[in-house]
């Protein structure tokens, strides 16, 4: 049985990706600026098509372990980001979360809303216990977003990601269900 995605939080909604989203997702994953701090370089249109196809397949998997979702402006229907929640099969009721936004959408608070929606899915819909995230050390905007959403910085994984010809560390963050619940509706879509 497919679980529903949280309906709305502020100006954004999460929805399942569609084949028609390839171009919009490429506007994010094909962008040098948008991928600067991600764990991969900009993707080609064909690579993004493959990502969307794998996301569509993961939506049909039983049990579902990955939620790769479109982040959409509620008022316009425009795809402004990509959010991912991956349930960790090796940890009981835990998942990793990540997101990327179109550069034209930066600075509008969409990152925090996206993370809030993903946490609503994780804790509210999927009844998880823990969610963690990682960011590039130079991505201070992501640090502010994760902290504003209630995450706690937990540490550094040295030499974690090989990207653009070099090894890069990752700064890790985590949030527990009870911490998310204590934050109330200012952070979560309830």
């Amino acid at each position: 049985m497919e679980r529903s995605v949280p309906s709305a939080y502020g100006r954004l909604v999460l929805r399942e990706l569609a084949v028609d989203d390839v171009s919009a997702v490429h506007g994010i994953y094909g962008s040098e600026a948008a991928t600067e701090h991600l764990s991969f370089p900009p993707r080609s249109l064909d690579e993004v098509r493959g990502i969307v196809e794998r996301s569509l397949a993961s939506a049909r998997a039983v049990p579902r372990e990955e939620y790769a979702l479109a982040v959409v402006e509620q008022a316009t229907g425009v795809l402004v980001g990509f959010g991912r929640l991956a349930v960790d099969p090796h940890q009981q009721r835990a998942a990793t979360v990540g997101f990327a936004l179109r550069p034209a959408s930066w600075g509008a608070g969409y990152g925090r809303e996206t993370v809030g929606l993903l946490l609503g899915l994780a804790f509210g819909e999927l009844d998880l216990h823990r969610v963690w995230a990682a960011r590039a050390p130079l991505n201070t905007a992501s640090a502010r977003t994760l902290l504003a959403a209630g995450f706690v910085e937990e540490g550094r994984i040295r030499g974690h990601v090989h990207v653009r010809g070099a090894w890069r560390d990752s700064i890790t963050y985590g949030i527990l269900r009870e911490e998310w619940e204590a934050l109330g509706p200012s952070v979560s879509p309830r």
Side-chain angles (χ1 to χ4, degrees), residues 93 123 127-131 150 175-184 190:
R93 294 178 49 217
F123 296 126
D127 194 32
L128 298 181
H129 168 68
R130 171 181 161 71
V131 174
I175 186 170
L176 303 175
R177 177 186 188 84
E178 57 268 21
E179 294 168 336
W180 175 78
E181 289 173 340
L183 294 171
R190 288 180 258 180

Side-chain angles (χ1 to χ4, degrees), residues 43 56 64 72-73 85 89 113 133 150-151 154 169 171 190:
R43 303 290 193 190
L56 294 171
R64 186 171 184 179
V72 178
E73 286 180 331
L85 183 120
E113 288 184 36
F151 281 80
E154 295 183 330
D169 294 355
I171 309 299
R190 288 180 258 180

Side-chain angles (χ1 to χ4, degrees), residues 13-181:
V13 295
L14 296 178
R15 67 162 170 76
E16 298 292 343
L17 284 169
V19 174
D20 295 345
D21 291 328
V22 169
S23 179
V25 174
H26 185 255
I28 301 163
Y29 280 1
S31 164
E32 184 70 39
T35 60
E36 177 183 5
H37 298 297
L38 297 182
S39 60
F40 54 84
R43 303 290 193 190
S44 70
L45 187 60
D46 284 339
E47 289 172 319
V48 171
R49 187 174 289 107
I51 290 167
V52 171
E53 288 170 0
R54 284 189 300 280
S55 299
L56 294 171
S58 73
R60 295 186 300 271
V62 178
R64 186 171 184 179
E65 293 181 346
E66 180 180 39
Y67 295 79
L69 304 164
V71 179
V72 178
E73 286 180 331
Q74 185 170 247
T76 65
V78 172
L79 189 148
V80 297
F82 185 89
R84 181 177 179 270
L85 183 120
V87 178
D88 188 336
H90 305 293
Q91 294 182 350
Q92 189 174 16
R93 294 178 49 217
T96 60
V97 68
F99 67 99
L101 300 172
R102 279 187 334 195
S105 301
W106 292 354
Y110 282 179
R112 182 174 178 216
E113 288 184 36
T114 298
V115 173
L117 282 166
L118 291 167
L119 291 177
L121 172 62
F123 296 126
E125 191 70 26
L126 301 177
D127 194 32
L128 298 181
H129 168 68
R130 171 181 161 71
V131 174
W132 74 279
R135 69 165 176 91
L138 296 178
N139 191 348
T140 56
S142 184
R144 287 189 303 274
T145 295
L146 293 168
L147 292 170
F151 281 80
V152 173
E153 185 175 324
E154 295 183 330
R156 177 183 291 260
I157 303 173
R158 296 177 305 128
H160 182 226
V161 177
H162 192 267
V163 63
R164 294 176 175 85
W167 288 99
R168 187 202 78 206
D169 294 355
S170 292
I171 309 299
T172 61
Y173 295 78
I175 186 170
L176 303 175
R177 177 186 188 84
E178 57 268 21
E179 294 168 336
W180 175 78
E181 289 173 340

